[in-house]
Amino acid sequence: MSGAVTLRVARDLEELSGLAAAFSLRCCQASITARGRCVVALSGGSTPRMLYTLLGRSPFLQEIDWARVHLFWGDERCVPVQDSQSNYRLVAETLLASAPLPKENIHRVPVELGDPQAVAASYETHVRDFFGLREGELPAFDLVLLGMGADGHTASLFPESPALEEQRSLVVAVYAEALQSHRTTFTLPVLNHARRVTFLVAGADKRDSLQRALAGDLTLPAARVAPTQGQLRWFVDRAAMGRA
Ligand code: 6PG
């Protein structure tokens, strides 16, 4: 039984980012009140940059108890952290440039290990250790932020990828042919075990894939994100909805 699904349509990326920042604040406050911490899996790509920048500024900078927030990356490109393609760098130069998270709360993907399989295996071990998981158990992230590509991919789960069928591993290494990019990504069981999953989708180029994903076209990886117990929330802009 999937959880509730909510769709919020914003005027533009700026309004979308503001709505997502306010929602993220509420998630952090609720999770910290309930469990003493908020464990977040971040999205990469360009859409969340404004959100991450907002969270590092007033009022969010002051209103979130960053010492109780843990950041993971839902997917990562297997490039050095200084690389402009790095999803870690995206967060480091926005949110982490001002938000006072203890370094032990920043759980970046260990890309320095080099081999993508080794990177994925190491990150999976870290996730299991952090959540204290026994074999077969899944981590319950308080908030998973996701984007969606024009082809309907999300995290680094691409259409027709074998990774979409992975049911045992938490983290897998993938090669994105179209992008010629080695990556690691959380698998669908992880995404679908989260308490809250939030998509941020903006721009007219996403219109077709958004319409299909919202209609439940399971050929699109984004449509396969259906939290079993948690809430699913879409923050989209008018351009992605095909509205003038
Ligand atoms: C990544 C992301 C990926 C992203 C989509 C949308 O590492 O690239 O995790 O899933 O969310 O490709 O990217 P944009 O936000 O740049 O459109």
Side-chain angles (χ1 to χ4, degrees):
M1 175 69 177
S2 291
V5 182
T6 305
L7 174 68
R8 288 294 303 272
V9 182
R11 181 182 59 251
D12 53 25
L13 178 59
E14 183 176 358
E15 186 180 52
L16 181 156
S17 303
L19 290 172
F23 178 71
S24 301
L25 169 60
R26 294 197 301 273
C27 286
C28 287
Q29 291 175 331
S31 302
I32 290 167
T33 300
R35 288 173 294 282
R37 70 184 190 185
C38 183
V39 188
V40 182
L42 298 171
S43 168
S46 58
T47 303
R49 177 177 286 272
M50 196 180 294
L51 165 61
Y52 298 156
T53 301
L54 282 177
L55 291 174
R57 291 179 182 165
S58 176
F60 305 102
L61 183 61
Q62 293 81 10
E63 294 187 14
I64 294 176
D65 183 356
W66 294 105
R68 294 178 179 273
V69 175
H70 289 264
L71 300 179
F72 287 77
W73 274 255
D75 70 320
E76 182 56 285
R77 292 82 178 274
C78 292
V79 295
V81 293
Q82 306 85 350
D83 191 299
S84 62
Q85 289 298 308
S86 166
N87 287 338
Y88 170 78
R89 175 176 161 175
L90 164 66
V91 182
E93 59 191 18
T94 51
L95 176 56
L96 296 182
S98 53
L101 281 87
K103 65 181 185 310
E104 61 270 19
N105 290 25
I106 302 168
H107 308 269
R108 71 173 178 80
V109 178
V111 292
E112 63 276 9
L113 294 178
D115 171 59
Q117 300 290 347
V119 172
S122 174
Y123 204 47
E124 171 151 341
T125 298
H126 179 70
V127 170
R128 289 186 181 281
D129 290 349
F130 176 83
F131 284 95
L133 300 179
R134 291 191 297 271
E135 190 56 38
E137 289 185 325
L138 292 167
F141 282 91
D142 294 298
L143 175 61
V144 172
L145 295 173
L146 293 172
M148 185 180 69
D151 63 354
H153 81 262
T154 190
S156 285
L157 297 168
F158 291 86
E160 301 176 16
S161 166
L164 289 165
E165 308 314 323
E166 178 58 49
Q167 293 299 315
R168 293 177 58 83
S169 297
L170 308 181
V171 185
V172 293
V174 300
Y175 182 68
E177 286 286 346
L179 303 167
Q180 296 196 323
S181 163
H182 286 282
R183 300 180 169 205
T184 64
T185 185
F186 282 152
T187 54
L188 282 171
V190 173
L191 303 181
N192 286 332
H193 198 66
R195 293 188 174 89
R196 299 175 191 84
V197 179
T198 299
F199 276 97
L200 309 181
V201 182
D205 63 319
K206 309 289 174 74
R207 187 165 46 190
D208 173 61
S209 54
L210 179 59
Q211 187 175 23
R212 290 169 57 198
L214 293 176
D217 178 349
L218 296 180
T219 64
L220 301 187
R224 302 272 299 266
V225 176
T228 50
Q229 302 294 332
Q231 301 168 5
L232 177 59
R233 191 174 293 261
W234 293 78
F235 289 109
V236 304
D237 71 356
R238 293 174 63 84
M241 285 296 284
R243 297 177 186 173

